[in-house]
Amino acid sequence: MRVLCAGDEFVGNDLLADAVRAELGAEPEFTELSLPWPVEPFGPVGGVHEASGTEEQVIEALAGAEVAVTQMAPFTKKVFAAAPELKLVSVCRGGPVNVDLAAATEAGVAVTYAPGRNATAAAEFAIGMILAAMRRISTSSAELLGGTWRGDYYAYPNAGLELEGTTVGLVGYGAIGSRVAKVLVAFGSKVLVADPYAKPDQIAADGAELVELEDLLRRSAVVSLHARLTDETRHLINAERLALLPHGAVLVNSARGGLLDYAPLPDLLKSGRLGALALDVYDVEPPPADWALRDAPNVIATPHLAGASRQTAERAARIVAAEVGRYARGEKPANIANPDVLR
């Protein structure tokens, strides 16, 4: 079996190859392609989203490969047309947004993905962002290092909030949101959840309350976004819904930039309607030099790091390798993105 490892600077080829070897208990024939993400941002390539590298690079590297394991390589209609021996693309991401699924199915190629691979890292990061925003941890640190001692933050009107006793709303309750909820409940927060696809019994068992989105926004002092980005959820939190938040609320987005309408945010922060904003994802990545939020108060901004833990990379490699093992043994994939191909 010839396997293409199309790794990058996060999930590297060594991790991928070692995981495949361990799964197969044998030494397949490897070819390699090294991609520049995350040193260079991802972007659309040949009709797929969030990919790194070029179609030509992937086509050249595939050359007779039966299986490809990757995180960011673009697998487009053009790539599938040029790779007739390819049968499996195993993507170590929560969703295979770098793959044209219709083209893969037409070409008879199974596409698998890795749900939950970064759930722990992303949940921990979200909790960190919530705490940093509520207690001004990063903004006061930056001011102190810049020479300003903000003793006025201890004044009652400027003092932060504790998680204990605070109502926190979670928009989305998948692998990440559910982990965040359990941590918040342990802190003593009142946790509200808005997710039309979540299981009410599970939410109740976790100590949270399932509500409608508008109700969540009206009642929550802190709102954290954890939904997947779809046509249904794009700009889910828009100007109209942002206006429902209590005065001085904290908003955290470490999920997907497209969930949030960024246009109203600078004015909401400057007026105090929004007390703090913590972002790890953006409508344009990286944000442009004239980004309006650069001059807005009480903003925490990190460069899409929520899933960036070493354990995430190692777990992702193991998940895709397990799918290669199932393929080699003639078993059904565990996480198939295009199930029609199996028919």
Side-chain angles (χ1 to χ4, degrees):
M1 180 191 301
R2 176 174 288 187
V3 178
L4 168 64
C5 294
D8 49 56
E9 297 290 330
F10 182 49
V11 185
N13 286 328
D14 288 346
L15 277 179
L16 292 169
D18 288 348
V20 171
R21 287 190 194 97
E23 177 66 30
L24 296 180
E27 181 72 24
E29 182 181 354
F30 285 114
T31 57
E32 293 188 358
L33 172 64
S34 295
L35 302 169
W37 187 86
V39 177
E40 296 180 12
F42 57 61
V45 179
V48 300
H49 305 289
E50 297 186 11
S52 177
T54 68
E55 293 170 295
E56 290 72 23
Q57 288 174 314
V58 177
I59 290 169
E60 181 179 356
L62 275 169
E66 187 177 350
V67 170
V69 290
T70 190
Q71 177 171 234
M72 286 287 180
F75 280 84
T76 65
K77 188 177 183 67
K78 179 178 178 180
V79 170
F80 287 117
E85 296 180 11
L86 187 64
K87 298 301 178 187
L88 172 68
V89 176
S90 194
V91 178
C92 49
R93 304 179 70 184
V97 292
N98 54 314
V99 180
D100 183 332
L101 291 179
T105 303
E106 184 180 350
V109 179
V111 179
T112 66
Y113 61 106
R117 50 113 197 196
N118 66 353
T120 298
E124 291 179 358
F125 195 92
I127 293 293
M129 294 284 267
I130 291 169
L131 288 168
M134 293 176 71
R135 302 298 301 277
R136 304 182 190 272
I137 293 171
S138 58
T139 51
S140 62
S141 172
E143 288 171 318
L144 179 58
L145 292 171
T148 302
W149 178 273
R150 293 298 301 269
D152 59 308
Y153 282 160
Y154 217 110
Y156 180 83
N158 300 330
L161 296 173
E162 299 173 357
L163 272 175
E164 184 173 359
T166 294
T167 299
V168 182
L170 304 180
V171 180
Y173 205 72
I176 297 168
S178 59
R179 282 171 169 80
V180 172
K182 292 170 186 175
V183 175
L184 291 171
V185 168
F187 267 103
S189 301
K190 167 69 175 177
V191 180
L192 306 179
V193 174
D195 187 333
Y197 304 104
K199 297 178 180 178
D201 291 348
Q202 184 60 56
I203 291 173
D206 291 341
E209 178 186 351
L210 181 63
V211 297
E212 295 296 325
L213 177 58
E214 286 73 15
D215 188 25
L216 179 148
L217 295 171
R218 291 188 186 96
R219 295 168 58 186
S220 299
V222 180
V223 173
S224 187
L225 307 185
H226 300 285
R228 290 197 67 79
L229 181 60
T230 65
D231 291 340
E232 181 184 7
T233 61
R234 185 171 297 278
H235 282 192
L236 182 69
I237 307 301
N238 54 23
E240 181 180 354
R241 286 179 169 144
L242 286 166
L244 299 176
L245 290 168
H247 188 87
V250 171
L251 179 62
V252 177
N253 186 10
S254 56
R256 279 289 181 262
L259 297 172
L260 179 61
D261 182 359
Y262 282 67
L265 298 177
D267 288 342
L268 291 174
L269 287 159
K270 290 172 184 176
S271 70
R273 281 282 303 147
L274 198 58
L277 176 68
L279 299 173
D280 186 51
V281 290
Y282 308 91
D283 47 356
V284 177
E285 295 191 3
D290 61 349
W291 191 43
L293 285 169
R294 292 187 193 279
D295 299 323
N298 301 325
V299 176
I300 299 169
T302 53
H304 206 143
L305 292 178
S309 73
R310 293 181 183 180
Q311 291 94 329
T312 291
E314 294 160 2
R315 193 179 299 117
R318 290 195 300 268
I319 292 172
V320 295
E323 296 288 16
V324 176
R326 293 184 187 98
Y327 169 78
R329 296 187 295 270
E331 298 171 3
K332 184 178 179 180
N335 302 294
I336 181 79
N338 56 339
D340 287 348
V341 79
L342 301 180
R343 304 191 186 103

